Amino acid sequence: MKKKIREILSKLNSINYIMGIYFSIVVLVTISLFMTFSIYYTKETLIENSTDNNVQLVKQVSNSIDGYIRQMEMVMQLLLDNTDVNYFFYGNKDEEVELRIKNIISSIMNSNKEIYCVTLIDKNRDYIVNDGTLVLNDYNNFTNTEWFKNAIDSEFYQFKISSSHVQNAIKGDYKWVITISRKIIDPVTNEMIGIIFMDLNYDVISNLCQEIELGKRGYVYIVNNNMEIIYHPQQKLLLSCIKEELIEEILEINDKSLFDKSDGNKKIYVKYTSINTDWTTIGVSYVEEFIKNQNKLFLEYILLALVLLLSSLLIAWIFADKISRPIKKLKKSIEEVQGENIAQYKPQNEGSTEIISLSNSFKKMLIRIEDLMKQIIKEQKEKRISEMKALQSQINPHFLYNTLYSIIWMVEVDNNDDAILMISSLAKLFRQAIGNSNIYVSISQEIEYTQNYLIIQKMRYRDKIDFEIDVDDEINNAQIIKLILQPIVENALYHGLKYKKSKGLIKIIGYRRKNDVILEVNDNGVGIEEERLKNIFNIKSEANSNGVGLENIQTRLKLTYGEKYGIKIFSIINIGTTVIIKIPYEIFNGGK
Amino acid sequence: MKYSMEVNKVGSRIRNIIIGIFIFLIIILAIVFFSKRDFDGEKKSKIIFIPKVVDKNNEFWTEIIEGAEFAANEFNISLEIMGPDTEDNINLQSKYILEAIEKQPDAIIISPISYTKMNIVINSIKEKNIKLIFVDSKINDTIEECFIGTDNFEEGKNLGKYISRQVDKESKVAIISHVTDSYTANERKLGVINGFGENEKYIVEVVNNANTYEKAFELTKILLEKNSEINIIIGLNLYSTIGAARAVDNLGLSNDIEIFGFDSNKEGIRYLEEDIINGIIVQRAFNMGYLGVENAYKLINNIAVEDEINSGAKLIIKQNMYEKDSEKLLFPF
């Protein structure tokens, strides 16, 4: 399980995923913050704005009602200023006066349809109601009513406003009204001489309140100082306690608005108290209407966030891809350069500047590696060459002594011809060995060198050695590295013929076969045992006349010409040994 | 090399497919987002109210309907009212019920005219899984989810007790009832009789089927002709109460006969003032209608409601008729 997690985590480490994840996180955080602020701010702003709006509306209602009431008060004042009215109040009964009064009232009521009823009561409790033509309700005893009693209690010059009630003064008609009353006092005696009542149609107020739109469910209501409801659209329900309404709390607040959630709905209350009437107009609106379908809005925001997130993921992915692809491409071409294809490596021009310069730098590095490799090869070669040179310029001191002694002996016995031959052969030998610093010689030169050696050896070991050299002219100009043939011949002498009792013969044959040069050295000596033959190239230090053993010859041949070439040895005990040298045919061009 | 080239092709194809899928998803979401802006899926509930009578001269039923409409407006419900024009037309009301069922409302509110004869048709409401609420009256089978009404027995008893206090051995009481097997008529009658207690013996007449003002008027007249000693008349609903009062007034017998009853209108108020009627049990009709629709709304939205809700009533007499509470109950705004 842990391993799987690791696997997945390591996969996620790729550029694509890293960029994608970081980018998405940034976008997600940004979107969330934005969303939260938007929703919060939107809601707050909406509520603020609506509340302010409601305050204005409620103020408007209150002012309108005040307007009506003021109007009525002015009308009342008009009546009170009228001499006939005053005459009436003092208890004077005069039909003409009363008629005039009734006319005035009639015209007042015609031009002020909000006025339902005007009642004048004089000190004798005689009264005039409206234009006097209506049949009064005999059973109306308004002197018992609360509003009448309130009016009596009022101060002079003070208009008293009742709360809403039913006016039953007129027979058969029961209307809800608001009554404005004023006590009339004799300025001299300070006695009450009369009261004037004016009833304002309740409709006026309820219409005003219902006209105001506070959203679909919002409403306006009015309460007075005594917390009685003047108007409420749900009065009946409040009365029977089916619903409840905040009254006290609203009147108490100092802020312009109150937030309430008591019946499960979030509501905002705004209020405005009129200075004239001491009535407070209150507006209620339902918060959810401001934030209509808040859930829907929220869902929309979420959808938007999803769209944005997906888009950002897509962009992040494409973006990351654009960066990581050139890198992947670079990685792949680097992998392909496995030593062999340096030349084929083309720096790419796809990707960002950094990637392109990286690619170019890589190419430069490869070139440098190539150069270094070449240099190493060259140095190795040179090292070999100098090694070989060193090897090839050796001459065995023993051979030298023995040959010189042979010469001395020959001179002592006056064998001058042989002495001359031996000296000249030796000289030629020297010349080739020491004087020639080339690695390569021609076949004819190598043959001559070997021949000189053999001449000397034949002279030394009279009747023991004979030799034949048969080399095709064709290969005389072929090239061969120095010091191949003679050591093999030397081997044949000292390992093959030395232990032979009779005269030994060494045959050297040379010919061309296709593109190869073949040299055969054959002796009829004692041969080489199978065991020894197997490991013959592994024996290192065979001290020959110049320390060059078979192993050395084989190595040099293979190093120079390749694995295909070299020497092969065939041998039969007591019959003889043949060494076959194979090298490629190349023209000798003066030495390299 | 060849292998890696093929892998490249496949990789690039996959890449294009993934990009394609992403773009597709984004487009789908964008479409959903923009189309949702117009969607305002507010489904309005549909309720049908079938009162006993739709008569604009009957202030009691008019008030109930007003209360129902008020609630419908508040709860954003589509409310339809259908009802017969006389309170005894069982057949017509049944027909309306069947019509209502056809319309497949979410709830039906009904004031069944007959307590016993409408069971089958009312049951068919339940069969269609329509919520059923009774207002004012019910039937003799408890199949409704909710009943809203006055506690008729109790109010009858209150009235009976009140009257009983002023009853003496000279009293002769007549009860004028409406539709014979109406739930309200029976309950109230039983209540009144119960309220009388021992004085029950003074109840001498019971008149039935005073189902309109005119019928009540006639029946009262006939009653008084038949038995001129009657000095207390009790009406059990608006028609019977007002009809009886009219008759008494018409015959000029208002000084000799006391009238009590149920429900009021403008005429009744005048009679109250003029001492023709001496006391009325005024039901909170507006509340009844309002509560009917409110509880229907709750039922539709799977909110628990009470089985029976008492919408309340008050005994109004001349002395208290102008008190704040009485005023608001008696006089419509």
Side-chain angles (χ1 to χ4, degrees):
Chain A
M1 183 62 189
K2 238 188 175 175
K3 198 172 172 202
K4 266 252 157 163
I5 296 179
R6 266 187 220 268
E7 259 181 57
I8 296 174
L9 279 180
S10 72
K11 220 179 171 195
L12 287 180
N13 204 22
S14 107
I15 292 182
N16 270 11
Y17 285 112
I18 290 179
M19 284 196 66
I21 289 174
Y22 280 128
F23 201 61
S24 304
I25 289 176
V26 167
V27 169
L28 198 66
V29 168
T30 311
I31 291 176
S32 308
L33 281 173
F34 170 73
M35 246 178 66
T36 316
F37 277 125
S38 285
I39 292 180
Y40 183 74
Y41 183 67
T42 309
K43 183 173 167 185
E44 288 302 306
T45 317
L46 276 173
I47 292 180
E48 272 279 326
N49 287 347
S50 299
T51 307
D52 286 342
N53 191 41
N54 287 358
V55 169
Q56 291 307 312
L57 285 173
V58 152
K59 190 169 162 186
Q60 196 181 312
V61 169
S62 184
N63 287 340
S64 299
I65 293 176
D66 279 3
Y68 278 115
I69 292 178
R70 229 188 347 262
Q71 202 177 313
M72 303 242 300
E73 287 172 359
M74 287 199 300
V75 167
M76 233 191 238
Q77 191 61 48
L78 230 114
L79 277 173
L80 291 176
D81 290 339
N82 184 287
T83 35
D84 287 327
V85 170
N86 277 306
Y87 188 74
F88 167 78
F89 275 131
Y90 279 99
N92 303 310
K93 284 214 121 15
D94 185 329
E95 272 205 36
E96 269 189 37
V97 167
E98 287 193 9
L99 194 61
R100 279 205 296 272
I101 295 176
K102 286 171 188 174
N103 281 334
I104 296 173
I105 294 178
S106 176
S107 57
I108 285 176
M109 287 187 63
N110 276 332
S111 49
N112 291 296
K113 295 292 180 195
E114 311 85 42
I115 301 178
Y116 173 68
C117 190
V118 178
T119 310
L120 303 173
I121 304 177
D122 72 0
K123 62 198 295 191
N124 298 326
R125 298 291 160 102
D126 287 326
Y127 52 83
I128 298 175
V129 177
N130 289 359
D131 60 3
T133 57
L134 296 169
V135 180
L136 295 181
N137 193 350
D138 307 316
Y139 303 92
N140 171 29
N141 190 3
F142 52 74
T143 51
N144 267 341
T145 58
E146 201 185 304
W147 44 273
F148 184 84
K149 292 177 190 158
N150 274 344
I152 307 260
D153 285 337
S154 69
E155 300 292 318
F156 185 39
Y157 281 144
Q158 188 187 39
F159 290 99
K160 273 289 233 198
I161 304 173
S162 75
S163 67
S164 48
H165 65 98
V166 171
Q167 175 60 273
N168 62 350
I170 297 167
K171 185 163 185 154
D173 204 10
Y174 305 95
K175 262 250 165 53
W176 284 91
V177 296
I178 312 276
T179 304
I180 304 180
S181 56
R182 182 146 158 215
K183 197 160 77 170
I184 315 297
I185 293 187
D186 186 335
V188 175
T189 63
N190 262 350
E191 271 179 15
M192 180 180 111
I193 53 173
I195 303 189
I196 176 169
F197 293 112
M198 217 181 257
D199 296 319
L200 175 66
N201 251 326
Y202 184 75
D203 283 351
V204 165
I205 294 182
S206 57
N207 284 341
L208 257 175
C209 291
Q210 279 163 3
E211 265 171 18
I212 300 294
E213 286 241 351
L214 292 182
K216 222 163 59 138
R217 293 178 66 188
Y219 55 89
V220 171
Y221 66 99
I222 305 176
V223 297
N224 71 3
N225 260 356
N226 298 328
M227 295 199 265
E228 295 166 325
I229 292 183
I230 307 290
Y231 166 80
H232 193 295
Q234 296 162 1
Q235 276 190 81
K236 290 200 178 162
L237 300 173
L238 288 173
L239 208 61
S240 32
C241 300
I242 292 179
K243 275 192 180 289
E244 284 181 357
E245 185 62 89
L246 306 178
I247 299 179
E248 204 175 320
E249 300 89 332
I250 300 296
L251 292 178
E252 278 174 7
I253 60 169
N254 287 325
D255 298 331
K256 63 173 184 225
S257 69
L258 174 74
F259 182 79
D260 176 77
K261 212 171 133 182
S262 49
D263 68 346
N265 292 310
K266 293 190 199 161
K267 297 183 282 194
I268 294 203
Y269 286 77
V270 298
K271 70 167 182 181
Y272 183 78
T273 308
S274 158
I275 337 163
N276 296 325
T277 59
D278 288 336
W279 287 354
T280 305
T281 312
I282 299 160
V284 183
S285 40
Y286 286 79
V287 174
E288 71 170 28
E289 289 193 356
F290 304 156
I291 325 289
K292 199 151 203 154
N293 301 327
Q294 192 182 354
N295 283 342
K296 192 183 106 184
L297 191 71
F298 194 63
L299 194 71
E300 285 184 4
Y301 271 126
I302 296 232
L303 267 177
L304 183 64
L306 268 175
V307 169
L308 282 174
L309 186 68
L310 272 182
S311 310
S312 77
L313 274 174
L314 181 66
I315 292 173
W317 199 60
I318 294 177
F319 187 40
D321 208 50
K322 252 197 150 13
I323 290 191
S324 68
R325 269 174 126 240
I327 295 179
K328 281 186 193 146
K329 207 170 170 194
L330 183 61
K331 171 184 137 200
K332 206 181 337 174
S333 52
I334 289 177
E335 278 171 358
E336 280 169 8
V337 177
Q338 299 279 10
E340 310 265 329
N341 304 326
I342 290 182
Q344 291 182 13
Y345 176 81
K346 285 192 190 45
Q348 62 189 47
N349 50 6
E350 187 189 312
S352 66
T353 12
E354 290 86 352
I355 301 294
I356 291 176
S357 85
L358 187 65
S359 179
N360 283 329
S361 301
F362 186 68
K363 171 88 185 187
K364 284 188 199 143
M365 187 188 75
L366 285 176
I367 292 172
R368 177 123 179 80
I369 289 176
E370 211 175 20
D371 286 344
L372 285 170
M373 267 169 48
K374 282 186 189 155
Q375 199 171 330
I376 289 176
I377 292 172
K378 188 163 151 216
E379 281 172 9
Q380 290 289 353
K381 240 186 178 171
E382 280 172 4
K383 191 164 157 209
R384 260 196 350 257
I385 290 170
S386 50
E387 269 177 12
M388 283 199 1
K389 277 196 183 165
L391 276 173
Q392 287 176 267
S393 48
Q394 277 172 344
I395 281 200
N396 192 340
H398 289 297
F399 174 73
L400 194 57
Y401 298 152
N402 293 336
T403 309
L404 283 174
Y405 274 122
S406 299
I407 295 171
I408 292 171
W409 183 76
M410 279 177 199
V411 164
E412 276 186 359
V413 300
D414 286 325
N415 195 348
N416 294 338
D417 292 331
D418 284 347
I420 291 170
L421 188 57
M422 196 173 272
I423 292 171
S424 63
S425 298
L426 189 63
K428 284 182 198 162
L429 217 63
F430 261 116
R431 200 193 322 144
Q432 188 150 342
I434 297 169
N436 190 0
S437 61
N438 291 334
I439 311 173
Y440 292 97
V441 296
S442 69
I443 297 280
S444 52
Q445 279 171 318
E446 184 78 357
I447 297 290
E448 196 182 322
Y449 184 76
T450 310
Q451 196 170 358
N452 285 330
Y453 175 78
L454 277 169
I455 291 170
I456 296 173
Q457 293 295 66
K458 181 171 175 176
M459 274 201 278
R460 277 176 59 197
Y461 297 99
R462 261 170 217 281
D463 300 329
K464 276 229 68 185
I465 302 171
D466 211 350
F467 65 89
E468 280 174 23
I469 299 184
D470 181 13
V471 169
D472 283 349
D473 289 330
E474 201 184 348
I475 63 170
N476 275 334
N477 290 328
Q479 140 266 74
I480 189 172
I481 50 175
K482 251 170 46 172
L483 224 54
I484 296 292
L485 200 55
Q486 180 267 325
I488 290 173
V489 166
E490 189 171 329
N491 269 354
L493 277 178
Y494 284 105
H495 296 298
L497 299 188
K498 189 171 179 182
Y499 302 103
K500 187 178 170 94
K501 299 227 164 51
S502 53
K503 196 172 190 177
L505 176 66
I506 292 192
K507 272 201 260 190
I508 301 177
I509 309 174
Y511 56 87
R512 180 176 171 178
R513 191 172 70 199
K514 291 194 188 161
N515 282 328
D516 301 332
V517 165
I518 311 287
L519 292 170
E520 287 183 28
V521 175
N522 172 267
D523 71 66
N524 54 2
V526 296
I528 310 173
E529 288 143 7
E530 228 178 286
E531 273 302 308
R532 208 180 125 123
L533 194 54
K534 268 196 214 165
N535 295 321
I536 204 154
F537 292 117
N538 296 336
I539 308 168
K540 255 192 143 95
S541 57
E542 265 318 302
N544 272 9
S545 63
N546 36 19
V548 177
L550 280 173
E551 184 263 341
N552 177 292
I553 295 170
Q554 180 75 301
T555 310
R556 280 191 292 127
L557 279 173
K558 285 193 188 285
L559 263 178
T560 310
Y561 296 114
E563 281 297 316
K564 275 198 327 185
Y565 302 97
I567 53 181
K568 282 202 175 85
I569 306 177
F570 303 96
S571 180
I572 305 174
I573 304 283
N574 293 331
I575 301 291
T577 309
T578 306
V579 177
I580 304 182
I581 306 163
K582 183 166 95 170
I583 58 169
Y585 178 83
E586 279 170 39
I587 302 283
F588 172 68
N589 57 2
K592 276 196 268 192
Chain B
M1 281 298 277
K2 203 169 165 200
Y3 171 71
S4 59
M5 258 178 63
E6 277 185 20
V7 167
N8 226 352
K9 258 200 214 155
V10 172
S12 142
R13 251 231 314 254
I14 291 179
R15 175 172 173 257
N16 290 337
I17 289 176
I18 292 181
I19 291 181
I21 291 178
F22 258 116
I23 294 181
F24 180 69
L25 276 176
I26 290 175
I27 292 178
I28 292 276
L29 276 180
I31 290 177
V32 171
F33 172 73
F34 282 116
S35 71
K36 261 200 169 278
R37 297 202 129 253
D38 302 334
F39 176 69
D40 193 10
E42 277 229 50
K43 200 174 152 270
K44 260 192 173 185
S45 311
K46 192 167 139 79
I47 299 181
I48 299 183
F49 176 35
I50 306 175
K52 276 187 185 172
V53 64
V54 177
D55 175 5
K56 60 180 167 55
N57 291 321
N58 186 319
E59 278 86 336
F60 173 69
W61 285 104
T62 312
E63 272 279 291
I64 294 187
I65 292 171
E66 257 186 49
E69 284 172 347
F70 191 83
N73 192 39
E74 183 177 326
F75 297 108
N76 196 27
I77 296 170
S78 157
L79 178 69
E80 192 181 338
I81 317 270
M82 43 169 84
D85 48 359
T86 53
E87 206 178 323
D88 53 2
N89 200 337
I90 298 179
N91 290 332
L92 192 52
Q93 200 188 41
S94 304
K95 189 165 138 266
Y96 278 129
I97 293 172
L98 293 172
E99 257 183 57
I101 295 173
E102 287 299 307
K103 296 192 182 184
Q104 293 195 327
D106 298 296
I108 291 183
I109 305 173
I110 176 166
S111 311
I113 292 176
S114 162
Y115 185 61
T116 53
K117 299 200 187 105
M118 299 180 79
N119 297 36
I120 297 174
V121 71
I122 301 258
N123 265 299
S124 57
I125 298 177
K126 292 295 290 180
E127 281 163 19
K128 294 288 164 81
N129 278 330
I130 301 172
K131 305 272 184 237
L132 177 62
I133 293 112
F134 285 144
V135 155
D136 175 75
S137 305
K138 43 165 137 171
I139 62 174
N140 64 357
D141 194 3
T142 315
I143 56 168
E144 76 279 12
E145 263 93 34
C146 181
F147 170 70
I148 294 130
T150 313
D151 188 341
N152 292 294
F153 183 84
E154 196 61 35
E155 298 303 329
K157 191 168 157 188
N158 284 338
L159 184 60
K161 272 194 183 157
Y162 180 75
I163 301 171
S164 177
R165 270 187 252 138
Q166 36 187 232
V167 148
D168 57 25
K169 46 188 177 34
E170 303 293 317
S171 305
K172 296 242 181 320
V173 183
I175 297 179
I176 312 221
S177 173
H178 42 288
V179 175
T180 329
D181 67 342
S182 140
Y183 173 72
T184 48
N186 284 322
E187 289 287 299
R188 288 171 197 171
K189 188 165 59 181
L190 291 170
V192 165
I193 293 172
N194 186 294
F196 264 72
E198 317 176 305
N199 290 333
E200 189 191 330
K201 56 190 181 212
Y202 297 113
I203 302 176
V204 297
E205 289 276 359
V206 175
V207 175
N208 287 315
N209 284 316
N211 297 327
T212 60
Y213 293 123
E214 292 75 29
K215 262 194 178 163
F217 183 82
E218 293 299 318
L219 286 169
T220 308
K221 270 194 157 167
I222 294 170
L223 169 74
L224 291 173
E225 272 170 32
K226 190 172 129 196
N227 187 341
S228 56
E229 289 177 12
I230 304 279
N231 49 17
I232 296 179
I233 297 178
I234 306 176
L236 294 184
N237 72 352
L238 185 64
Y239 289 126
S240 47
T241 308
I242 302 297
R246 275 187 204 167
V248 165
D249 187 39
N250 180 272
L251 293 172
L253 296 170
S254 53
N255 286 329
D256 308 318
I257 301 179
E258 290 193 342
I259 302 181
F260 299 89
F262 279 78
D263 302 329
S264 158
N265 58 8
K266 247 198 208 166
E267 206 181 323
I269 294 168
R270 186 164 61 81
Y271 290 145
L272 253 180
E273 276 192 328
E274 297 174 3
D275 284 318
I276 296 173
I277 295 183
N278 301 76
I280 306 181
I281 300 280
V282 179
Q283 301 179 80
R284 299 194 187 274
F286 187 86
N287 292 358
M288 223 189 279
Y290 181 90
L291 288 169
V293 171
E294 188 194 33
N295 284 286
Y297 176 75
K298 282 185 181 172
L299 282 170
I300 292 170
N301 288 302
N302 294 320
I303 304 171
V305 302
E306 293 169 37
D307 298 331
E308 278 205 19
I309 299 178
N310 186 346
S311 48
K314 185 171 175 176
L315 174 60
I316 308 283
I317 54 178
K318 188 170 166 185
Q319 285 71 26
N320 69 5
M321 67 189 279
Y322 286 108
E323 284 173 10
K324 280 266 181 257
D325 301 344
S326 311
E327 235 180 17
K328 293 196 172 157
L329 191 53
L330 269 181
F331 300 102
F333 285 105

